[in-house]
């Protein structure tokens, strides 16, 4: 308790001991010689001191000792006043101050008035009324000063608290205070048998606004969006039946907002709120003479059915928001069982990836790349596989995106690179691989990862492999939101010696003139365009044509992937596409099999 009042621990211990002994002596003296009741009360105080001493030694923060001590002191002092008159009343002053240290000021005020009244009444018995009146004035002034001082502190604390609970930019709640409030409101809603709706709102393509118009405009959009949200749930101009609705709105992160509305009675009510939110968010923004629209995606989760805790509800509303974001026709999505299953699947995949990394359950397969005319093997694309049953079931198409979202992809990519270097060293020593190009897929997330260059260099230091023998494939779509940092990472990879290729080319709608600014060597035409070759409509195959022309214009090499028929191969030969890959020529195979393929390919060609 004494520590709590601001003293250091050694001093607090000394004070406990110093107080304990005289109280004990004085208490025993009263029990045997004078007022027994007072003696027992003093011993009770000593007992509380023992507990408080223990708490101080063990650093326990037990408020109850503090309050217990103050309470028992009150009674003791009242009794002291009764027997000792004026001398006892003087004890009231420190007592009053200690009240204001240990209780909320309103409670302290109440206690002080009652305690002082009792003391004064007791004093009236033994001293002059005039003296009591004078002391009363002194006591009242003490109470008054303590109370106003304490109220002031209280107010200051509150405004500090408000600041800590607010988002500095928009003035609405921040994530921390929103979470606390949500937790309380869910518990209350569950208790009352009502529902709470959580809306998770994310502005679409906000990065573009920041990039195109600058951060000041970006900040203004966030401020206006938060104000629009506040207005869309404000209780005025609302039907009376919804008057008990309460809402809290927070900026949850960057351009993400969370809005919780309590007292939900029907889905209809949720839909109405949703309409109001969308209507206000979809209005045009007019900032600095600019007029533009900012889209948004909203995920909705309802307490009870979609989650019991704040954490669960937020996670589910966020997942629903993601689904809404990937749907171009709909701006909102209610959380449902499908999404719930997706989350479960995602979690199990994530766990399986962690296991696979730890237990070394990954391995590589190799997909030969052929020179289109001669069909000689000129390179190989490395693809990831796993013996882990879950990862096997879903395949890289499904588990790589999960690895990207969870950040596990960084470990995977480095593992793949190191494993490939081992193979390259092996094949180079056999004397068959020097001219082979090894193509490694790296995740788009690597383009935002500043450590990648150092990490890769460290791996290369362990092997005698030239970076020129490696081509890194990044998907074209990963460059859609390209910024200077990404270009810088690509340039660093390039100047280290790697070749770079744009994978799944044609799916990302890269502006042709942009190609010149990317430090890439190769375009890999997406399988879907190769698949179209041979379809009746003439325009279908034109994409491959266009890309091939484009590639020659920018002096890039071109690989067609996913060749599955002779007809496709013939077509690609006719338009002078440089390289081909696909099941028609070879499926991805294990290392030994690949070495055999390479040997037969050599003899066939000789
Ligand atoms: P991708 O880079 O576009 O790889 C080509 C995918 O198409 C491979 O699927 C391959 O087996 C398949 N494919 C190739 N030729 C044909 C064909 O003629 N017909 C058909 N139907 N399919 C063909 P896979 O191995 O399932 O890989 C899927 C994706 O997973 C890859 O697409 C790549 O984006 C990613 N991925 C695979 N391995 C790695 C890796 O080691 N690291 C990273 N970061 N991503 C990887
Ligand atoms: Ca690839
Ligand atoms: Ca591809």
């Amino acid at each position: 308790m004494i520590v709590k009042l601001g003293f250091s621990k050694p001093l607090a211990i000394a004070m406990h001991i110093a107080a304990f002994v005289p109280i004990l002596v004085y208490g025993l003296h009263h029990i045997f010689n004078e007022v027994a009741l007072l003696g027992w009360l003093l011993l009770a105080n000593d007992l509380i001191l023992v507990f408080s001493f223990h708490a101080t030694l063990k650093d326990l923060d037990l408020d109850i000792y503090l309050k217990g001590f103050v309470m028992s002191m009150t009674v003791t002092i009242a009794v002291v006043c009764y027997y000792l008159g004026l001398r006892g009343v003087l004890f009231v002053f420190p007592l009053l101050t200690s009240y204001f240290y240990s209780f909320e000021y309103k409670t302290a005020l109440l206690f002080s008035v009652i305690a002082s009244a009792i003391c004064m009444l007791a004093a009236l018995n033994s001293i002059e009324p005039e003296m009591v009146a004078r002391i009363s004035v002194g006591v009242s002034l003490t109470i008054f000063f303590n109370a106003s001082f304490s109220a002031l502190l209280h107010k200051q604390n509150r405004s500090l608290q408000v600041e800590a609970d607010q988002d500095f930019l928009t003035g609405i709640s921040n994530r921390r205070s929103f979470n606390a409030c949500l937790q309380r409101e869910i518990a209350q809603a569950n208790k009352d048998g009502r529902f709470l709706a959580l809306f998770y709102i994310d502005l679409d393509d906000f990065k573009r606004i920041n990039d195109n118009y600058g951060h000041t405009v970006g900040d203004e959009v966030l401020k206006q969006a938060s104000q629009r949200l506040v207005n869309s749930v404000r209780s005025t101009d609302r039907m009376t039946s919804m008057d008990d609705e309460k809402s809290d709105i927070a900026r949850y992160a960057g351009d993400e907002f969370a809005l919780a509305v309590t007292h939900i009675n029907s889905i209809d009510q949720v839909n109405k709120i949703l309409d109001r939110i969308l209507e206000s968010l979809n209005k045009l923004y007019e900032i600095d003479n600019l007029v533009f629209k900012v889209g948004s995606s909203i995920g909705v989760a309802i307490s009870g059915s979609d989650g019991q805790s704040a954490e669960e509800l937020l996670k589910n509303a966020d997942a629903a928001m993601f689904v809404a974001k990937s749907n171009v026709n709909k701006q909102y999505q209610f959380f449902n069982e499908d999404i719930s299953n997706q989350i479960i699947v995602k979690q199990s995949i994530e766990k399986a990836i962690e296991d696979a990394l730890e237990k070394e359950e990954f391995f590589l397969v190799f997909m030969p790349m052929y020179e289109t005319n001669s069909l000689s093997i000129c390179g190989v694309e490395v693809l990831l596989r796993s013996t882990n049953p879950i990862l096997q079931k879903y395949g890289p198409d499904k588990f790589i995106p999960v690895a990207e979202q969870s950040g596990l992809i960084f470990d995977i990519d480095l593992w793949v690179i190191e494993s490939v270097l081992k193979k390259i060293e092996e094949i180079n020593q056999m004397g068959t691989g020097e001219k082979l190009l090894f193509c490694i897929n790296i995740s788009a997330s690597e383009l935002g990862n500043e450590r990648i260059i150092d990490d890769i260099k460290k791996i290369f230091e362990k092997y005698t492999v030239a970076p020129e023998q490696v081509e890194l494939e990044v998907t074209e779509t990963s460059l859609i939101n390209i910024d200077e940092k990404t270009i810088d990472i690509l340039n660093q990879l390039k100047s280290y010696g790697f070749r770079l290729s744009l994978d799944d080319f044609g799916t990302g709608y890269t502006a042709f003139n942009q190609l010149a600014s990317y430090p890439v060597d190769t375009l890999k035409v997406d399988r879907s365009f190769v698949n179209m070759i041979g379809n009746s409509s003439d325009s279908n195959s034109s994409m491959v044509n266009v890309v091939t022309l484009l590639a020659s214009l920018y002096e890039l090499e071109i690989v067609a992937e996913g060749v599955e028929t002779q007809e496709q191969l013939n077509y690609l030969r006719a338009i002078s596409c440089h390289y081909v890959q696909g099941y028609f020529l070879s499926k991805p195979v294990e290392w030994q099999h690949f070495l055999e393929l390479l040997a037969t390919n050599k003899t066939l060609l000789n």
Side-chain angles (χ1 to χ4, degrees):
M1 158 198 135
I2 294 176
V3 171
K4 211 165 175 176
L5 291 181
F7 294 93
S8 70
K9 191 171 162 182
L11 193 61
I13 292 174
M15 283 166 82
H16 273 97
I17 298 169
F20 181 81
V21 181
I23 292 179
L24 181 70
V25 173
Y26 204 49
L28 289 175
H29 170 78
H30 268 283
I31 289 175
F32 295 113
N33 304 317
E34 293 184 32
V35 190
L37 177 62
L38 184 59
W40 286 117
L41 272 169
L42 286 172
L43 287 196
N45 274 321
D46 247 6
L47 190 65
I48 290 172
L49 260 187
V50 171
F51 282 120
S52 166
F53 184 66
H54 170 77
T56 308
L57 277 183
K58 299 263 174 217
D59 291 325
L60 302 175
D61 185 15
L62 294 179
D63 209 32
I64 187 156
Y65 295 140
L66 178 63
K67 291 186 175 157
F69 193 73
V70 173
M71 292 288 223
S72 77
M73 282 293 282
T74 313
V75 182
T76 313
I77 288 167
V79 176
V80 169
C81 287
Y82 184 78
Y83 289 104
L84 304 180
L86 180 60
R87 273 182 294 150
V89 172
L90 289 177
F91 280 106
V92 173
F93 290 91
L95 171 73
L96 291 182
T97 312
S98 74
Y99 273 148
F100 285 95
Y101 269 110
S102 40
F103 296 99
E104 269 261 309
Y105 81 103
K106 281 183 191 148
T107 321
L109 194 63
L110 182 74
F111 278 174
S112 308
V113 172
I114 297 173
S116 309
I118 295 172
C119 294
M120 292 304 158
L121 284 176
L124 260 179
N125 249 347
S126 47
I127 53 174
E128 300 269 294
E130 195 197 316
M131 185 64 106
V132 174
R134 264 196 265 159
I135 293 170
S136 295
V137 173
V139 170
S140 305
L141 282 177
T142 313
I143 294 177
F144 175 75
F145 280 121
N146 274 319
S148 21
F149 183 62
S150 172
L152 199 75
L153 271 183
H154 191 73
K155 210 169 131 195
Q156 256 178 3
N157 278 344
R158 262 193 68 83
S159 67
L160 278 179
Q161 185 68 29
V162 167
E163 249 170 52
D165 285 351
Q166 260 179 7
D167 171 49
F168 67 96
L169 180 72
T170 58
I172 56 179
S173 303
N174 59 22
R175 184 193 195 109
R176 195 186 60 82
S177 70
F178 182 83
N179 283 358
C181 165
L182 184 64
Q183 191 64 57
R184 274 196 311 273
E185 289 297 338
I186 292 176
Q188 193 58 45
N190 286 346
K191 215 167 110 193
D192 301 350
R194 354 174 224 98
F195 299 101
L196 171 151
L198 177 68
F199 302 80
Y200 202 92
I201 301 143
D202 186 282
L203 302 184
D204 294 343
D205 215 4
F206 181 69
K207 189 174 175 296
R208 185 179 51 88
I209 292 167
N210 262 337
D211 289 350
N212 292 355
Y213 306 137
H215 287 270
T216 335
V217 175
D219 284 355
E220 190 54 34
V221 168
L222 292 175
K223 278 192 221 165
Q224 291 195 13
S226 68
Q227 211 43 55
R228 290 177 184 196
L229 284 173
V230 171
N231 293 340
S232 63
V233 288
R234 201 170 258 171
S235 59
T236 48
D237 67 71
R238 193 88 61 70
M239 281 158 37
T240 40
S241 67
M242 294 177 191
D243 268 357
D244 45 1
E245 244 180 48
K246 265 200 316 185
S247 57
D248 188 18
I249 302 173
R251 182 155 80 113
Y252 212 71
D255 62 341
E256 292 170 24
F257 298 89
L259 190 161
V261 184
T262 64
H263 294 78
I264 294 292
N265 303 312
S266 65
I267 281 299
D268 194 38
Q269 188 186 351
V270 180
N271 279 322
K272 279 190 181 131
I273 300 171
L274 205 48
D275 285 345
R276 283 202 306 268
I277 298 175
L278 283 172
E279 193 192 303
S280 68
L281 286 183
N282 287 341
K283 283 190 186 130
L284 291 174
Y285 288 80
E286 288 184 39
I287 300 166
D288 283 357
N289 297 327
L290 294 163
V291 180
F292 53 89
K293 197 184 153 179
V294 182
S296 49
S297 306
I298 306 180
V300 190
I302 313 287
S303 70
S305 57
D306 301 341
Q308 297 293 342
S309 66
E311 197 189 352
E312 199 182 350
L313 211 58
L314 276 161
K315 191 185 75 193
N316 291 344
D318 186 31
M321 183 277 288
F322 254 98
V323 176
K325 192 152 285 257
S326 53
N327 186 344
V328 275
N329 299 318
K330 213 167 138 196
Q331 277 191 279
Y332 65 90
Q333 174 68 52
F334 281 83
F335 183 75
N336 59 33
E337 209 167 301
D338 269 357
I339 301 174
S340 155
N341 290 336
Q342 281 169 28
I343 293 181
I344 295 170
V345 167
K346 218 181 105 183
Q347 282 168 342
S348 79
I349 292 179
E350 211 175 296
K351 171 84 180 43
I353 297 175
E354 281 169 4
D355 282 355
L357 276 168
E358 199 185 304
K359 297 183 196 152
E360 302 193 2
E361 291 173 337
F362 282 119
F363 68 97
L364 299 174
V365 289
F366 300 82
M367 175 137 208
M369 195 165 85
Y370 298 81
E371 202 272 311
T372 313
N373 279 320
S374 64
L375 289 190
S376 70
I377 296 178
C378 54
V380 57
E381 176 174 1
V382 184
L383 295 163
L384 188 65
R385 295 289 179 269
S386 175
T387 52
N388 181 297
I390 294 177
L391 300 186
Q392 231 164 16
K393 188 169 111 192
Y394 289 104
D397 261 343
K398 291 267 182 324
F399 75 68
I400 296 276
V402 176
E404 285 174 341
Q405 282 164 26
S406 62
L408 289 164
I409 193 69
F410 300 121
D411 292 336
I412 294 181
D413 280 350
L414 293 180
W415 181 87
V416 172
I417 292 173
E418 175 142 21
S419 310
V420 173
L421 292 197
K422 284 181 194 161
K423 298 293 186 216
I424 301 181
E425 219 170 50
E426 184 187 326
I427 203 169
N428 286 357
Q429 275 164 9
M430 287 160 42
T432 42
E434 259 92 11
K435 294 210 176 70
L436 278 184
L437 186 66
F438 281 78
C439 306
I440 303 177
N441 293 288
I442 59 163
S443 158
S445 339
E446 301 290 3
L447 301 181
N449 171 17
E450 276 159 351
R451 285 185 39 198
I452 187 179
I453 314 283
D454 285 342
D455 287 346
I456 290 183
K457 279 184 186 166
K458 270 190 207 126
I459 299 177
F460 266 80
E461 279 162 14
K462 293 198 257 172
Y463 301 89
T464 51
V465 173
E468 287 73 14
Q469 218 181 334
V470 172
E471 181 164 276
L472 299 178
E473 299 190 0
V474 292
T475 56
E476 186 201 8
T477 42
S478 63
L479 301 187
I480 287 180
N481 286 321
I482 196 160
D483 53 20
E484 277 173 17
K485 194 170 142 198
T486 314
I487 298 252
D488 184 50
I489 289 182
L490 285 175
N491 278 325
Q492 288 192 53
L493 289 169
K494 182 84 193 115
S495 52
Y496 188 61
F498 293 121
R499 291 175 56 90
L500 298 177
S501 76
L502 277 191
D503 204 355
D504 303 347
F505 192 79
T507 55
Y509 308 105
T510 304
F512 290 169
N513 56 2
Q514 252 179 312
L515 267 183
S517 61
Y518 300 160
V520 294
D521 306 278
T522 309
L523 302 182
K524 291 191 85 169
V525 188
D526 190 59
R527 202 169 77 213
S528 55
F529 302 111
V530 176
N531 268 335
M532 287 172 182
I533 299 175
N535 282 7
S536 51
S537 147
D538 200 12
S539 63
N540 280 338
S541 46
S542 61
M543 185 65 190
V544 188
N545 254 332
V546 170
V547 175
T548 315
L549 285 173
L550 189 68
S552 65
L553 191 66
Y554 287 98
E555 294 176 344
L556 299 170
E557 308 223 300
I558 181 137
V559 183
E561 57 178 3
V563 178
E564 290 182 348
T565 64
Q566 179 72 52
E567 193 187 357
Q568 289 165 355
L569 180 63
N570 292 343
Y571 185 91
L572 292 164
R573 277 181 171 152
I575 62 165
S576 310
C577 167
H578 306 128
Y579 305 104
V580 282
Q581 276 184 298
Y583 290 179
F584 181 68
L585 299 153
S586 168
K587 288 201 166 182
V589 294
E590 294 201 19
W591 183 240
Q592 276 313 318
H593 191 161
F594 172 69
L595 293 180
E596 287 161 21
L597 272 182
L598 202 61
T600 27
N601 185 258
K602 280 227 162 87
T603 45
L604 271 182
L605 291 171
N606 285 335

